[in-house]
């Protein structure tokens, strides 16, 4: 009869605590507990797969029941009948339960009933519950009392890879041992020993790759070595890559060099070559993300290349490639590739989207890579964000007034005119620094506003806010003081637009200031309320009173001071049925005749103010009337 083949992870399973690989703390603690005969009623072994949890439970059972020793011992003989039965899983008093198939409370009740009976062959009855996190809440609760106060000579060992799902009441009743992933050096040394015992012709580079790809799991490493042993010697690293279906480091490094050179054709050809050779797109993406991490480490610590996971013969090439790409681009590529693996895995065209994803990394504009220049350091034109802004409605600006000749008393003209003069511009709201820096900030602010989704937010910020300062980490926006609360409520939308326009997020700071320049009403805008007649200053005490006279249009004009000729006043418009023709404006000759009269210092009204008053009257469907004359001494 042909003997059944025994896999390497079964053949080389540890038989004593000193044979555990990479778990010295667990081995020393349990060995001392056995030597001092301090056996706990329940243990919890937690840790990643393939790190020795079930093997440690079997070693504990043999150490408690070895017939070659009168009591518990950390070094069971492994030759007695009981040790052999426990190793093969045939012992009556060592019961291993798979919690995934025994999740109900009835299974736990049966286990509790059986635990009350004394051991048949051994000194201790040991229950090993593998993957105990699969038990239901009712099953856990049924086990609570037995775990805390079990029958004499009964030990429970719970093993799990997900201790977070175990009830806290269970954890408090167990001694917990956390099994860590096996270090790379210990794992590689153990594989060398197995390869020598089994006469497997494998190169050290291939063994290093096997230990590295197993990610700290001894069972995974031994299974992979078992598969490689079927290949003819010598087994090189390429065989490991082919067996794993992963992308070799040298091919990923060539792809990274093409990306560093920003050559789209070379990137597409390298990606297509990998895919044509049977590499999965998800595997290419995983390898590229891992290589970018290694390049980042090589860039910040070129003297510690052993921290990287690249093959030792390729490590000297990493610092140069990292310098060509730059730390900023490496971090940005890592951020953009985050989450792409899941999207690629569920795509119906993963090859297409992998190429699009890699080309998207190269198509990033230079302006997004570096922050736009600040007010004091204007950058070159090629580093500006070239995104075309949407047309943003801006407040209308009145044309400049025509120059007015100096008059003896300009104050009365301002009081009796149709509109007040525009307020002087606020020096604090002007952009910092004239010239290209101010223009760049204004243009960049329009591009940021163009990226806003809501038109109402875009209109609000265009009129009541402006970009004041900008650097690589922060953007300062000045907001009119009365609108600060509303702008703060829409701050997430503005931060998103800033990140979209600049290519990277910025810390956004709102600075309260005066009214925004574009928010001030100009002479071409409508006034806040419909005016009635505008009166001049109150008459002097020595001037005779002037009684108001009815207007030809039916409206009553307010009393005006004497001495003002041809003064214009905006009146409320009467109904259309009672509207009278507008009296003609005085001609220049009439004005000159009035000025020739013996009156003190008459005031001339500028033609520009006449035009402004006419436009304002038409806007309110009113009219401009004249004829309010008075004595200048009363002004």
């Amino acid at each position: 009869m042909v003997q059944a083949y025994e896999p390497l992870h079964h053949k080389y399973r540890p038989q004593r605590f000193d044979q555990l690989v990479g778990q010295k703390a667990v081995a020393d603690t349990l060995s001392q507990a056995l030597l001092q005969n301090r056996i706990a009623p329940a243990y919890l072994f937690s840790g990643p797969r393939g790190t020795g949890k079930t093997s440690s439970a079997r070693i504990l059972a043999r150490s408690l029941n070895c017939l070659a020793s009168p009591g518990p011992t950390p070094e069971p003989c492994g030759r007695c009948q009981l040790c052999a039965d426990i190793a093969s899983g045939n012992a009556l008093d060592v019961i291993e339960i798979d919690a995934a198939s025994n999740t109900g409370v009835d299974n736990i009740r049966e286990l509790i009933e059986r635990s009350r009976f004394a051991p048949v062959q051994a000194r201790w009855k040991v229950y090993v519950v593998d993957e105990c996190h699969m038990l239901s809440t009712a099953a856990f609760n049924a086990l609570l009392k037995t775990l805390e106060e079990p029958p004499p000579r009964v030990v429970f060992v719970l093993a799990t890879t997900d201790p977070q799902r175990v009830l806290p009441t269970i954890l408090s009743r167990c001694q917990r041992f956390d099994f860590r992933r096996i270090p790379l050096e210990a794992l590689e040394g153990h594989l060398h020993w197995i390869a020598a015992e089994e006469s497997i012709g494998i190169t050290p580079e291939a063994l290093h790759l096997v230990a590295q790809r197993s990610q700290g799991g001894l069972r995974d490493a031994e299974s992979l070595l078992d598969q490689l042993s079927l290949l003819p010697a010598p087994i090189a690293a390429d065989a490991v890559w082919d067996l794993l279906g992963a992308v070799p480091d040298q091919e990923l490094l060539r792809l990274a060099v093409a990306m560093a050179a920003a050559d789209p054709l070379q990137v597409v050809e390298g990606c297509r070559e990998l895919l044509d050779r049977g590499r999965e797109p998800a595997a290419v993406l995983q390898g590229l993300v891992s290589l970018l991490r290694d390049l980042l480490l090589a860039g910040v610590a070129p003297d510690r290349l052993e921290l990287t996971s690249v093959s030792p013969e390729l490590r000297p090439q990493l610092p140069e490639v990292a310098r060509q790409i730059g730390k900023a681009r490496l971090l940005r590529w890592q951020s953009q590739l985050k989450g792409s693996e899941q999207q690629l895995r569920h795509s119906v065209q993963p090859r297409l989207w992998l190429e699009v994803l890699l080309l998207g990394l190269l198509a990033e504009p230079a302006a997004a890579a570096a922050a736009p220049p600040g007010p004091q350091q204007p950058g070159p034109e090629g580093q500006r964000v070239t995104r075309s802004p949407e047309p943003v409605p801006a407040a209308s600006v009145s044309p400049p007034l025509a120059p007015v000749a100096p008059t003896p008393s300009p104050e009365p003209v301002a009081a009796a005119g149709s509109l007040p003069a525009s307020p002087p511009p606020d020096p604090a709201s002007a952009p910092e620094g004239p010239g290209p820096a101010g223009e760049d900030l204004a243009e960049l602010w329009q591009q940021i506003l163009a990226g806003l989704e809501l038109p109402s937010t875009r209109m609000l910020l265009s009129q009541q806010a402006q970009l004041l300062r900008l650097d690589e980490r922060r953007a300062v926006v000045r907001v009119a003081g009365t609108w600060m609360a509303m702008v703060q409520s829409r701050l997430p939308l503005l931060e998103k637009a800033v990140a979209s326009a600049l290519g990277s997020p910025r810390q956004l700071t709102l600075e309260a200031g005066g009214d925004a320049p574009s928010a001030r009403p100009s002479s071409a805008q409508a006034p806040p309320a419909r005016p009635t007649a505008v009166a001049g200053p109150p008459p002097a005490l020595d001037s005779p009173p002037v009684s108001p006279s009815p207007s030809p249009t039916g409206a009553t004009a307010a009393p005006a001071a004497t001495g003002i000729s041809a003064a214009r006043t905006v009146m409320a418009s009467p109904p259309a049925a009672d509207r009278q023709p507008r009296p003609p404006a005085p001609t220049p000759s009439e004005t000159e005749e009035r000025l020739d009269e013996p009156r003190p210092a008459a005031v001339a009204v500028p033609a520009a103010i006449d035009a402004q008053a006419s436009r304002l009257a038409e806007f309110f469907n009113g009219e401009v009337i004249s004829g309010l004359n008075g004595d200048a001494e009363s002004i």
Side-chain angles (χ1 to χ4, degrees):
M1 182 178 179
V2 180
Q3 185 177 1
Y5 175 72
E6 188 177 10
L8 292 182
H9 65 278
H10 285 171
K11 185 176 181 179
Y12 292 95
R13 184 188 293 271
Q15 303 298 322
R16 299 188 308 181
F17 284 117
D18 57 359
Q19 295 179 0
L20 281 176
V21 181
Q23 309 295 344
K24 188 176 186 305
V26 176
D28 292 345
T29 305
L30 291 177
S31 297
Q32 290 297 321
L34 291 169
L35 289 174
Q36 300 177 20
N37 199 15
R38 296 170 57 182
I39 310 303
Y43 295 92
L44 177 68
F45 294 165
S46 63
R49 68 182 189 275
T51 53
K53 298 184 296 296
T54 305
S55 298
S56 297
R58 292 181 179 180
I59 294 174
L60 180 61
R62 283 197 299 271
S63 300
L64 291 173
N65 298 309
C66 180
L67 299 178
S69 176
T73 175
E75 298 178 356
C77 67
R79 296 183 299 272
C80 64
Q81 183 64 34
L82 198 53
C83 287
D85 291 342
I86 294 175
S88 60
N90 298 325
L92 296 177
D93 298 318
V94 178
I95 300 98
E96 295 189 18
I97 300 173
D98 180 17
S101 55
N102 298 273
T103 60
V105 64
D106 293 335
N107 304 111
I108 297 301
R109 286 174 180 169
E110 182 181 356
L111 183 149
I112 295 173
E113 290 295 332
R114 292 175 57 185
S115 66
R116 296 177 181 178
F117 296 100
V120 178
Q121 297 176 329
R123 294 187 293 264
W124 293 77
K125 181 176 288 188
V126 180
Y127 287 91
V128 180
V129 184
D130 200 7
E131 298 300 332
C132 66
H133 62 271
M134 300 297 293
L135 291 176
S136 63
T137 303
F140 270 131
N141 291 329
L143 193 60
L144 284 177
K145 188 63 177 178
T146 307
L147 283 181
E148 187 173 7
E149 298 178 359
R153 302 291 181 171
V154 175
V155 174
F156 289 91
V157 180
L158 310 181
T160 178
T161 57
D162 192 2
Q164 306 299 328
R165 296 172 59 182
V166 180
L167 294 182
T169 51
I170 295 292
L171 295 176
S172 64
R173 287 165 169 81
C174 301
Q175 286 192 7
R176 178 172 174 175
F177 291 88
D178 291 321
F179 288 72
R180 61 173 183 169
R181 294 185 183 274
I182 302 174
L184 182 63
E185 294 80 6
L187 190 56
E188 190 172 353
H190 187 70
L191 292 179
H192 272 290
W193 175 72
I194 294 178
E197 291 290 328
E198 296 292 326
S199 300
I200 301 175
I202 185 171
T203 62
E205 293 79 10
L207 274 180
H208 175 80
L209 185 57
V210 170
Q212 187 180 52
R213 301 296 294 185
S214 62
Q215 299 180 354
L218 181 60
R219 183 171 60 240
D220 294 347
E222 290 173 346
S223 298
L224 183 57
L225 181 61
D226 199 1
Q227 288 180 270
L228 292 172
S229 64
L230 300 175
L231 299 177
I235 304 171
D238 292 339
V240 181
W241 290 115
D242 293 337
L243 188 61
L244 291 174
V247 185
D249 290 337
Q250 59 269 21
E251 297 181 4
L252 290 173
L253 194 58
R254 284 198 297 267
L255 185 60
V257 170
M259 295 175 63
D263 186 356
L265 181 59
Q266 190 176 357
V267 170
V268 172
E269 289 179 350
C271 182
R272 186 64 57 85
E273 181 182 357
L274 291 176
L275 298 177
D276 291 342
R277 291 176 56 185
R279 310 296 184 186
E280 288 292 331
V284 175
L285 185 60
Q286 290 176 358
L288 183 60
V289 171
S290 178
L291 180 63
L292 291 179
R293 173 256 185 193
D294 293 334
L295 289 174
L296 184 61
L297 290 178
V300 299
D303 298 333
R304 297 293 306 277
L305 297 180
E306 68 274 6
L307 297 176
T308 64
S309 59
V310 181
S311 302
E313 62 272 9
L314 297 177
R315 290 174 183 173
Q317 305 178 25
L318 295 181
E320 178 61 24
V321 179
R323 186 191 62 80
Q324 294 177 5
I325 299 177
K327 184 172 67 174
R329 276 206 296 176
L330 286 172
L331 291 173
R332 189 164 52 253
W333 287 354
Q334 286 276 26
S335 177
Q336 293 180 1
L337 292 178
K338 180 182 179 181
S340 301
E341 180 182 352
Q342 194 72 12
Q343 180 181 1
L344 197 68
R345 194 181 302 274
H346 291 86
S347 175
V348 295
Q349 292 181 322
R351 295 168 59 99
L352 171 65
W353 287 112
L354 177 62
E355 295 177 356
V356 171
L357 181 62
L358 297 182
L359 291 178
L361 299 180
L362 303 183
E364 186 177 6
Q376 304 298 332
Q377 298 178 355
E381 189 70 22
Q383 292 186 355
R384 295 180 184 174
V385 181
T386 58
R387 184 174 178 179
S388 301
E390 298 179 4
V392 180
S396 58
V397 180
S398 60
L401 296 178
V404 181
T407 58
S409 56
E411 290 81 1
V413 176
S418 60
L419 279 180
S422 299
D426 187 4
S429 62
E432 293 186 1
E439 296 176 2
D440 288 346
L441 288 177
E443 179 183 355
L444 188 57
W445 181 240
Q446 295 299 325
Q447 294 178 11
I448 292 173
L449 295 180
L452 292 170
E453 299 178 358
L454 299 179
S456 59
T457 305
R458 189 184 311 134
M459 178 68 71
L460 170 66
L461 294 176
S462 65
Q463 295 183 358
Q464 305 297 337
Q466 65 181 33
L467 184 61
L468 192 62
R469 290 186 299 275
L470 181 67
D471 54 25
E472 295 183 357
R473 294 172 295 181
R474 191 177 63 158
V476 180
V477 177
R478 174 169 292 176
V479 184
T482 56
W483 297 92
M484 177 63 73
M486 183 171 293
V487 174
Q488 284 180 348
S489 65
R490 306 186 183 187
L491 193 59
L493 298 177
L494 183 57
E495 290 177 347
K496 183 179 179 182
V498 170
S500 177
L502 301 182
S504 59
R506 295 289 194 280
Q507 180 184 0
L508 197 59
T509 304
L510 300 182
E511 181 177 305
D515 293 338
S518 60
R520 300 191 185 103
S522 62
S523 58
Q525 292 176 337
R530 176 181 296 181
T532 58
V534 179
L541 294 177
D542 57 350
S543 62
V546 180
S547 58
S549 58
S551 172
T553 59
T556 303
T562 60
I564 300 179
S565 62
R568 271 41 173 183
T569 307
V570 180
M571 303 294 293
S573 177
D578 300 334
R579 187 173 300 173
Q580 300 291 334
R582 181 182 302 175
T587 60
S589 60
E590 296 176 355
T591 305
E592 293 175 0
E593 291 177 0
R594 294 177 182 178
L595 291 176
D596 293 339
E597 296 179 2
R599 293 174 182 173
V603 180
V605 181
I609 297 182
D610 293 345
Q612 298 286 354
S614 300
R615 287 200 297 269
L616 182 61
E618 292 176 0
F619 180 81
F620 282 102
N621 199 17
E623 62 180 273
V624 178
I625 64 173
S626 60
L628 298 178
N629 298 329
D631 190 3
E633 294 179 356
S634 63
I635 299 178

